Amino acid sequence: MGTLPHRSHDSPIPGTKTPTYLVDNAGAADVELSAADLAELDGLPAPTGGRY
């Protein structure tokens, strides 16, 4: 969804059903990953199988 063109001020945020979830999801914008964090994530194996 982050790649969709924004045509209005309203953008859906998946997983945001309550105000509490909205606050939690908005807090993710403040997360800063170090180079070591990114390297660790890059080292994880690719997902396999279906979503469910």
Side-chain angles (χ1 to χ4, degrees), residues 1 3-4 7 10-12 14-16 18 22 24-26 28-29 34 38-41 51:
M1 298 199 96
T3 60
L4 294 175
R7 299 175 194 257
D10 298 326
S11 297
T16 303
T18 69
L22 175 62
D24 288 344
N25 289 338
S34 68
L38 294 173
E40 183 177 352
L41 291 171
R51 181 172 176 184

Side-chain angles (χ1 to χ4, degrees), residues 22-38:
L22 175 62
V23 171
D24 288 344
N25 289 338
D30 295 329
V31 173
E32 293 185 23
L33 299 174
S34 68
D37 294 330
L38 294 173

